[in-house]
Structure formats: structure tokens, C-alpha cells
Amino acid sequence: MTSIIVFYLLYLLSLCLGLACVVCVCVWSGHWRGGFAWDGSALEFNWHPVLMVTGLVVVYGVGAVVYRIPLTWGQNKLPWKLLHAALMLIALILSIVGLCAVFDYHNINKISNVYSLHSWIGITATAVFAMQWVCGAAGFLLPCSPVTLRKVLKPVHVWLGGIILLLSIAACISGINEKLFFALKGNATGTQPYSSLPPEAVLGNTLGVLIVAFGLVVLKILSNHEWQRPDSRPEGLAYTPLLQEENE
Amino acid sequence: MTSIIVFYLLYLLSLCLGLACVVCVCVWSGHWRGGFAWDGSALEFNWHPVLMVTGLVVVYGVGAVVYRIPLTWGQNKLPWKLLHAALMLIALILSIVGLCAVFDYHNINKISNVYSLHSWIGITATAVFAMQWVCGAAGFLLPCSPVTLRKVLKPVHVWLGGIILLLSIAACISGINEKLFFALKGNATGTQPYSSLPPEAVLGNTLGVLIVAFGLVVLKILSNHEWQRPDSRPEGLAYTPLLQEENE
């Protein structure tokens, strides 16, 4: 019982931290960086942090812990599996649009793509995520996928899921750090320098801290074996052979 | 048996990746950034990446998995506990000297300290690590520490250990990314710009990728319950009451 209460406290904490991340990144891009557009200007770049933090970190993290909610364990797995797949698809689409924003901005402004360590880590995270979604859908949603394959695939899927979140956090921290150095260069650009910690710098740093905190809470939830959905099918529930969802 | 072979393959991989990280960061600072000194110049700063990567990532990671080596499970725990504490102390000292290098360089050159997100994450990692070492030594090495306390402390110690490694990796990635942008500014500084991916940029990015790979292998080793040292005391071994090392 104590374990269940701790779960719900951590789950509530993860939702609050996730919401705080989205609010912070929207205020940063929307207010301090001038807002949004899709016209090749810096306002198009502003979609990049918002969509990556919202997609690759927050929606991804919320989608990752769906199966861990004890309230759902007594219920048919299929709706939760579809919710997990749907949230991950939303996260993936947001991330890809977030990458499009930065590529488009770079291309229009003749800036090179994919040279920084931040971009290497971020691109890797998104590519592994896309691969994970396709393999997950094929392995766990297609009716023709055999139960033995699902049993082998599941630990790899869970393990890769954690790796993607780690890569996302590293990409976000390096990206926020880089953007604050670029944006807050001092007098020449009409801004206070990053080194004097103006309000925008405090907001950006706070966003980074919130992302790390959110990631750690989600990873803590994922790593506790007590909170894994039990494998056995609860009695009294109809068996749904189409997607074999109670046999994994 | 397969599990043991997989462990040793991953352990060997972690050692190779750790060695590659140290070689890369030494070549970067020693060759591409001009070498080392302790005179307030940029050559003093060069100690910072070398000592942080070596201490807070590589020696830390190697020290973290000491208990997981199956070869040691049949042996008295005390020497391995002392080795774990000693490696972690070396890692902590290297990290603190690495922080001293950057603080000293900043102070002499009138550059602000601890304003960037990179520094916030890195300082947090080192502070939590220092606290973890002191609590670990007091809780697991002092003969007067009760067995019940050790049982409560152990999961927290293991969990915090993983968090410190995650924070270290995020700090390293953001730090390498930031340093490459600072160092490779193009024509004005007599260097090729980062965006043209000169050899130094490839080396720095590769160092970042190696650090992430090393961290993931270490975290994989730490997260597998099959590779945790069994709690029960093997028969035929002398009981060592002083440090209660077989009772945790």
C-alpha cells in the first residue's frame, strides 16, 4: 500500500514537473525570444526548443510510464497499449516537426546542419526513438507478431526507452546552454550577458534543472520493478486474441 | 553462465570506452588546446575537462561497478569495499581539483563563476557526489554504523550513484559543446569554425559520444539485478565483525 502511495506521489510530481517544463520553454521562446513564426526567421527557430522539450521529453516521459499506473492493472491492457502508442506517436511527431524547424531555419540562413555535439546527441535520440516506435508498433500491435518475439522484444524495448530519455535530457541541457550563450552576448546585441545571470538566463537554467528533475522522476518510476504491470492476466477479463495483449 | 559472459563482455567494453574517453580528452587538451599549466592561463583551464571526464565519469564509473564483478562474489567483501571507497575518493579528488582549475582560471581572468546551466549541473553532480561519499563512508565503513541503517541506506546509495553519473554525463556533454563553440570561432581566432567540423571538432564530438556510450554501459551493468553481489555470506569464509561487511 505504501508503495502505491509513493508511486502516485512520484507520478503527480512527474506531471507537475512536466507541466512546469512546457510552461518554462513556452515563456522563454514566446516572451523572451520574441514569439513564433514559420518564415525562416529566428521566430521559426523558437519552435525548436518548445517542440523538442514538449515532445522528446515531456510527452515521451508521460507516455513511458502509462503502464506503471496501478489503477490500470486490473483492466484490459489494449486501451492502455493504444494510449502508450498514441502518446509516443504524438511525441515523435512533435520532435520531428521540432527538427524541421531548426533545419529550415539553418537552410534559409545558410547555417550548417548537424555539426555540434548537441545536434549529434539530439539527432541520435530522435532516430532511435523513431526506430523504437516502428519496432514497437510492429512487435506489439500487429496481430501476426508471435508471443515469443514479444517476450524477447519487451526488455530491449524498455531498456531502449530509458536510453532515449537519457539522450533527450543530454541534448536538451547542451541545447539550452548553447542557446543562452548565443542569445545573451551582452551590450553588442542589446542584451545583458549570460554571465550576469539576467532573468532570461535564470529562466533557461531553471528549465534545464526542471528537465533533469522530470527525467530523474520518470526513470525512477520506470526502474522500480514493483511498479511494473503484472504479466499474468487478471481473472474475469475477456481474452482479446487479436492483439495478444495479455500474453506479453 | 551466458549472463556471466555478457557481464564480462560489457565490463570489458566499459573499460575500453573509459580508456578511450581519457585518451580523447587528454589529446584534446594536451594537443589541440595547447597543453597544461597552473598559471591562470587557458592552459590551466585545460585541466578542467581532463580531470572532470577522468574523475567524475571514468574513475567514478569503474568504481561504481566494482561489486558487480562475479569473480569477487565468493571472496570477503571488505577488500572490495575498500577498493570501491578508494576509487570513489580518487574520483572525487580529481573532480574537485578539476573544479579548482576552472574557478582559479575564471578568478584570475575576471570571468564570472557558476552562471551557466553547464556549471549548475556540474556543481550539483560534484556536491551530491561529495555528500554521497561522506554518507557512504560513515554508513558502510564505520564499525559503529548499525546493520539496520545500512539496509535502509543501500538502495538510496545505489540510486543516488546512478543519478550522479547521469548528472555528470549531462554536464560533460554541455561543457564539451560549449567549449567547442568558444574555441572554434573561425577566422578571427585563427581556427576553423566549429560548423565546418575541423578535426578538433570531430575529436570533441567523438569524446562526447564516447562519454555517453561509457555511461550507458555502466548504467546497464548497474541496473541488471542478476549482476548484484548476492547478499548471503558464502560458506567457509571467515566472518569479519569489525566492518560487518557481509551483513549488508
Coordinates of all heavy atoms in Angstrom, one line a residue, chain A residues 159-211:
Chain A
W159 N 14.5 -1.1 -22.2 CA 15.9 -0.6 -22.0 C 16.2 0.5 -23.0 O 16.7 1.6 -22.6 CB 16.9 -1.8 -22.2 CG 18.3 -1.4 -22.2 CD1 19.0 -1.0 -21.2 CD2 19.2 -1.5 -23.4 NE1 20.3 -0.7 -21.6 CE2 20.4 -1.1 -22.9 CE3 19.0 -1.9 -24.7 CZ2 21.6 -1.0 -23.8 CZ3 20.1 -1.9 -25.5 CH2 21.4 -1.4 -25.1
L160 N 15.8 0.4 -24.2 CA 16.0 1.4 -25.2 C 15.2 2.7 -24.9 O 15.6 3.8 -25.1 CB 15.6 1.0 -26.6 CG 16.7 0.5 -27.6 CD1 16.1 0.1 -28.9 CD2 17.8 1.5 -27.7
G161 N 14.0 2.5 -24.3 CA 13.1 3.6 -23.9 C 13.8 4.5 -22.9 O 13.8 5.7 -23.0
G162 N 14.5 3.9 -21.9 CA 15.3 4.6 -20.9 C 16.5 5.4 -21.6 O 16.7 6.5 -21.3
I163 N 17.2 4.7 -22.5 CA 18.3 5.3 -23.2 C 17.9 6.6 -24.0 O 18.5 7.6 -24.0 CB 19.0 4.3 -24.2 CG1 19.7 3.3 -23.3 CG2 19.9 5.0 -25.2 CD1 20.5 2.2 -24.1
I164 N 16.7 6.4 -24.7 CA 16.2 7.6 -25.5 C 16.0 8.8 -24.5 O 16.3 9.9 -24.9 CB 14.9 7.2 -26.2 CG1 15.2 6.2 -27.3 CG2 14.2 8.4 -26.8 CD1 14.0 5.4 -27.8
L165 N 15.4 8.5 -23.3 CA 15.2 9.6 -22.4 C 16.5 10.3 -21.9 O 16.6 11.5 -21.8 CB 14.3 9.1 -21.2 CG 13.8 10.2 -20.3 CD1 12.9 11.2 -21.0 CD2 13.0 9.6 -19.1
L166 N 17.5 9.4 -21.7 CA 18.8 9.9 -21.3 C 19.4 10.8 -22.3 O 19.9 11.9 -22.1 CB 19.8 8.8 -21.0 CG 19.5 7.9 -19.8 CD1 20.5 6.8 -19.6 CD2 19.4 8.8 -18.5
L167 N 19.3 10.3 -23.6 CA 19.9 11.1 -24.7 C 19.1 12.4 -24.9 O 19.8 13.5 -25.1 CB 19.8 10.3 -26.0 CG 20.7 9.0 -26.1 CD1 20.4 8.3 -27.4 CD2 22.2 9.4 -26.1
S168 N 17.8 12.4 -24.7 CA 17.0 13.6 -24.8 C 17.4 14.6 -23.8 O 17.5 15.8 -24.1 CB 15.5 13.3 -24.6 OG 15.1 12.2 -25.4
I169 N 17.6 14.2 -22.6 CA 18.0 15.1 -21.5 C 19.3 15.7 -21.8 O 19.5 16.9 -21.7 CB 18.0 14.4 -20.1 CG1 16.6 13.9 -19.7 CG2 18.6 15.3 -19.0 CD1 16.5 13.0 -18.6
A170 N 20.3 14.9 -22.2 CA 21.7 15.4 -22.5 C 21.6 16.4 -23.7 O 22.2 17.5 -23.7 CB 22.6 14.3 -22.9
A171 N 20.7 16.1 -24.7 CA 20.6 17.0 -25.8 C 19.9 18.3 -25.4 O 20.4 19.4 -25.8 CB 19.7 16.3 -26.9
C172 N 18.9 18.2 -24.5 CA 18.2 19.5 -24.0 C 19.2 20.4 -23.2 O 19.2 21.6 -23.4 CB 17.0 19.1 -23.2 SG 15.6 18.6 -24.1
I173 N 19.9 19.8 -22.3 CA 20.8 20.5 -21.5 C 21.9 21.3 -22.3 O 22.1 22.5 -22.1 CB 21.5 19.7 -20.4 CG1 20.4 19.0 -19.5 CG2 22.5 20.4 -19.6 CD1 19.5 20.0 -18.8
S174 N 22.5 20.5 -23.2 CA 23.5 21.1 -24.1 C 22.9 22.2 -25.0 O 23.5 23.2 -25.3 CB 24.3 20.1 -24.9 OG 23.4 19.3 -25.6
G175 N 21.7 21.9 -25.5 CA 21.0 22.9 -26.4 C 20.6 24.2 -25.6 O 20.8 25.3 -26.2
I176 N 20.1 24.1 -24.4 CA 19.7 25.3 -23.7 C 20.9 26.1 -23.3 O 20.9 27.3 -23.5 CB 18.9 24.9 -22.4 CG1 17.6 24.2 -22.7 CG2 18.7 26.1 -21.5 CD1 16.9 23.5 -21.6
N177 N 22.0 25.4 -22.9 CA 23.2 26.0 -22.5 C 23.8 26.8 -23.7 O 24.2 28.0 -23.6 CB 24.2 24.9 -22.1 CG 25.4 25.5 -21.4 OD1 25.3 26.1 -20.3 ND2 26.6 25.3 -21.9
E178 N 23.8 26.2 -24.9 CA 24.3 26.8 -26.2 C 23.5 28.0 -26.6 O 24.0 29.0 -26.9 CB 24.3 25.7 -27.2 CG 24.6 26.1 -28.6 CD 24.3 24.9 -29.6 OE1 24.6 23.7 -29.3 OE2 23.8 25.2 -30.7
K179 N 22.2 27.8 -26.5 CA 21.3 28.9 -26.9 C 21.4 30.1 -26.0 O 21.4 31.3 -26.5 CB 19.8 28.4 -26.9 CG 18.8 29.4 -27.3 CD 18.9 29.8 -28.8 CE 18.0 31.0 -29.2 NZ 18.3 31.5 -30.5
L180 N 21.6 29.9 -24.7 CA 21.8 31.0 -23.8 C 23.1 31.8 -24.1 O 23.1 33.0 -24.0 CB 21.7 30.6 -22.3 CG 20.3 30.2 -21.9 CD1 20.3 29.4 -20.5 CD2 19.4 31.4 -21.8
F181 N 24.1 31.0 -24.4 CA 25.4 31.7 -24.8 C 25.2 32.5 -26.1 O 25.8 33.6 -26.2 CB 26.5 30.7 -24.9 CG 27.2 30.4 -23.6 CD1 27.1 29.2 -23.0 CD2 28.1 31.4 -23.0 CE1 27.7 28.9 -21.8 CE2 28.7 31.1 -21.8 CZ 28.5 29.9 -21.2
F182 N 24.5 31.9 -27.0 CA 24.3 32.6 -28.3 C 23.4 33.9 -28.1 O 23.7 34.9 -28.7 CB 23.6 31.7 -29.3 CG 24.5 30.7 -30.0 CD1 23.9 29.5 -30.5 CD2 25.8 31.0 -30.2 CE1 24.8 28.6 -31.2 CE2 26.6 30.1 -30.9 CZ 26.1 28.9 -31.3
A183 N 22.4 33.7 -27.3 CA 21.4 34.8 -27.2 C 21.8 35.9 -26.3 O 21.5 37.1 -26.6 CB 20.0 34.2 -26.8
L184 N 22.5 35.6 -25.3 CA 22.9 36.6 -24.3 C 24.4 37.0 -24.3 O 25.2 36.5 -23.6 CB 22.5 36.1 -22.9 CG 21.1 35.7 -22.7 CD1 20.8 35.0 -21.3 CD2 20.1 36.9 -22.8
K185 N 24.7 37.8 -25.3 CA 26.1 38.1 -25.6 C 26.5 39.5 -25.0 O 27.6 39.9 -25.3 CB 26.3 38.1 -27.1 CG 26.4 36.7 -27.7 CD 26.9 36.7 -29.1 CE 27.2 35.3 -29.6 NZ 27.3 35.1 -31.0
G186 N 25.6 40.1 -24.4 CA 25.9 41.4 -23.8 C 25.6 42.6 -24.7 O 24.9 42.5 -25.6
N187 N 26.3 43.7 -24.3 CA 26.0 45.1 -24.9 C 25.8 45.1 -26.4 O 24.8 45.7 -26.9 CB 27.1 46.1 -24.6 CG 27.0 46.4 -23.1 OD1 25.9 46.3 -22.5 ND2 28.1 46.8 -22.5
A188 N 26.6 44.4 -27.2 CA 26.6 44.5 -28.7 C 25.2 44.1 -29.2 O 24.8 44.5 -30.2 CB 27.7 43.6 -29.3
T189 N 24.6 43.1 -28.5 CA 23.3 42.6 -29.0 C 22.1 43.2 -28.2 O 21.0 42.8 -28.4 CB 23.2 41.1 -28.9 OG1 23.6 40.8 -27.5 CG2 24.2 40.4 -29.8
G190 N 22.4 44.2 -27.4 CA 21.3 44.8 -26.6 C 20.8 43.9 -25.5 O 19.7 44.2 -25.0
T191 N 21.5 42.9 -25.2 CA 21.1 42.0 -24.1 C 22.1 42.1 -22.9 O 23.2 42.5 -23.2 CB 21.0 40.6 -24.5 OG1 22.2 40.2 -25.0 CG2 19.9 40.4 -25.6
Q192 N 21.7 41.7 -21.8 CA 22.6 41.5 -20.7 C 23.4 40.2 -20.9 O 22.8 39.3 -21.5 CB 21.9 41.4 -19.3 CG 21.4 42.8 -18.8 CD 20.7 42.6 -17.5 OE1 19.5 42.3 -17.5 NE2 21.4 42.7 -16.4
P193 N 24.7 40.1 -20.6 CA 25.4 38.9 -20.8 C 24.9 37.8 -19.9 O 24.5 38.0 -18.8 CB 26.9 39.3 -20.5 CG 26.8 40.4 -19.6 CD 25.5 41.2 -19.9
Y194 N 25.1 36.5 -20.5 CA 24.7 35.3 -19.7 C 25.4 35.3 -18.3 O 24.8 35.0 -17.3 CB 25.1 34.1 -20.5 CG 24.6 32.8 -20.1 CD1 23.6 32.6 -19.1 CD2 25.1 31.6 -20.7 CE1 23.2 31.4 -18.7 CE2 24.6 30.3 -20.3 CZ 23.7 30.2 -19.3 OH 23.2 29.0 -18.9
S195 N 26.6 35.8 -18.3 CA 27.5 35.7 -17.1 C 26.9 36.6 -16.0 O 27.2 36.4 -14.8 CB 28.9 36.1 -17.4 OG 28.9 37.4 -17.9
S196 N 26.0 37.6 -16.3 CA 25.5 38.4 -15.3 C 24.1 37.8 -14.8 O 23.4 38.5 -14.0 CB 25.3 39.8 -15.8 OG 24.2 39.9 -16.7
L197 N 23.8 36.7 -15.3 CA 22.5 36.0 -14.9 C 21.3 36.9 -14.9 O 20.6 37.0 -13.9 CB 22.7 35.3 -13.5 CG 23.2 33.8 -13.5 CD1 23.2 33.3 -12.1 CD2 22.3 32.9 -14.4
P198 N 21.0 37.4 -16.1 CA 19.7 38.2 -16.2 C 18.5 37.2 -16.1 O 18.7 36.0 -16.1 CB 19.8 38.8 -17.6 CG 20.7 37.9 -18.4 CD 21.6 37.3 -17.4
P199 N 17.3 37.8 -15.9 CA 16.1 36.9 -15.7 C 16.0 35.8 -16.8 O 15.6 34.7 -16.5 CB 14.9 37.9 -15.8 CG 15.5 39.2 -15.4 CD 16.9 39.2 -15.9
E200 N 16.3 36.2 -18.1 CA 16.2 35.1 -19.1 C 17.1 33.9 -18.9 O 16.8 32.8 -19.1 CB 16.4 35.7 -20.5 CG 16.3 34.7 -21.6 CD 16.5 35.2 -23.0 OE1 16.6 36.4 -23.2 OE2 16.7 34.4 -23.9
A201 N 18.3 34.2 -18.4 CA 19.3 33.2 -18.1 C 18.8 32.3 -16.9 O 18.9 31.1 -17.0 CB 20.6 33.8 -17.7
V202 N 18.2 33.0 -15.9 CA 17.7 32.2 -14.8 C 16.6 31.3 -15.2 O 16.5 30.1 -14.8 CB 17.2 33.2 -13.6 CG1 16.6 32.4 -12.5 CG2 18.4 34.0 -13.1
L203 N 15.7 31.8 -16.1 CA 14.6 31.0 -16.6 C 15.1 29.8 -17.4 O 14.7 28.7 -17.2 CB 13.7 31.9 -17.6 CG 12.5 31.2 -18.2 CD1 11.5 30.8 -17.2 CD2 11.9 32.0 -19.4
G204 N 16.1 30.1 -18.3 CA 16.7 29.0 -19.1 C 17.4 27.9 -18.3 O 17.2 26.7 -18.5
N205 N 18.2 28.4 -17.3 CA 18.8 27.4 -16.4 C 17.8 26.6 -15.6 O 17.9 25.4 -15.4 CB 19.7 28.2 -15.4 CG 21.0 28.6 -16.0 OD1 21.2 28.5 -17.2 ND2 21.9 29.2 -15.2
T206 N 16.7 27.4 -15.1 CA 15.6 26.7 -14.4 C 15.0 25.6 -15.2 O 14.7 24.5 -14.8 CB 14.6 27.7 -13.9 OG1 15.3 28.7 -13.1 CG2 13.5 27.1 -13.0
L207 N 14.7 26.0 -16.5 CA 14.2 25.0 -17.4 C 15.0 23.7 -17.5 O 14.5 22.6 -17.4 CB 14.0 25.6 -18.8 CG 13.7 24.7 -20.0 CD1 12.3 24.0 -19.8 CD2 13.7 25.4 -21.3
G208 N 16.4 23.9 -17.6 CA 17.3 22.8 -17.6 C 17.2 21.9 -16.4 O 17.1 20.7 -16.4
V209 N 17.1 22.6 -15.2 CA 17.0 21.9 -13.9 C 15.7 21.1 -13.9 O 15.7 19.9 -13.4 CB 17.1 22.9 -12.7 CG1 16.8 22.2 -11.4 CG2 18.5 23.5 -12.7
L210 N 14.6 21.7 -14.3 CA 13.3 21.1 -14.3 C 13.3 19.8 -15.3 O 12.7 18.8 -14.9 CB 12.2 22.0 -14.8 CG 11.8 23.1 -13.8 CD1 10.9 24.2 -14.5 CD2 11.1 22.5 -12.6
I211 N 14.0 20.0 -16.4 CA 14.0 18.8 -17.4 C 14.8 17.6 -16.7 O 14.4 16.5 -16.8 CB 14.7 19.2 -18.7 CG1 13.8 20.1 -19.5 CG2 15.2 18.0 -19.5 CD1 14.5 20.8 -20.7

